[in-house]
Amino acid sequence: QVQLVEFGGGLGQPGGSLRLSCAATGFPLDYYEIGWFRPAPGKEREGVSCISRRGGSTNYADSVKGRFTISRDNAKNMVYLQMNTLKPEDTAVYYCAGDLRLVCDSAARQLGELWMYWGQGARVTVSS
């Protein structure tokens, strides 16, 4: 059974850092593009970032570019989202998603409805 599980959220301070992890079970992660999503005002979700199967290509929303870094370790079946210079508006439940067919680019990152598998979410709260 294909499963994605997020962990590592919690409380962070403005200007601080948190790291989210996404663990995959039931399938080899290197078959899948992986994305991170969060709810956004006025729309169902915002595609925060995505990464290609081998990690050679990444894409970021303008709202997090330069602050967040997505990476993966396929040997460990893990994907990470390093979040630096946190802002209160980063407060959200973050979901990782995986897909066999998509290619990580700006279009795929913004079309969350196309992604096949989803985790249960990890809450991030940024507050002083």
Side-chain angles (χ1 to χ4, degrees), residues 4-6 21-23 34-37 94-98 117-119 121:
L4 294 169
V5 179
E6 305 92 337
S21 300
C22 175
I34 298 293
W36 285 96
F37 296 83
Y94 285 73
Y95 299 87
C96 69
Y117 300 105
W118 290 82

Side-chain angles (χ1 to χ4, degrees), residues 26-89:
F27 64 96
L29 191 65
D30 56 0
Y31 286 3
Y32 291 77
E33 308 285 274
I34 298 293
W36 285 96
F37 296 83
R38 65 187 183 187
K43 51 185 176 180
E44 184 174 357
R45 66 177 67 86
E46 175 185 29
V48 174
S49 182
C50 64
I51 188 167
S52 60
R53 290 166 181 77
R54 299 289 185 268
S57 178
T58 59
N59 194 276
Y60 297 92
D62 288 343
S63 59
V64 305
K65 200 171 294 182
R67 300 188 299 120
F68 289 11
T69 302
I70 191 170
S71 62
R72 66 193 298 161
D73 185 340
N74 287 339
K76 296 182 179 178
N77 254 24
M78 296 286 290
V79 174
Y80 307 100
L81 186 68
Q82 178 67 41
M83 303 183 293
N84 297 331
T85 320
L86 287 166
K87 302 178 179 180
E89 51 264 42

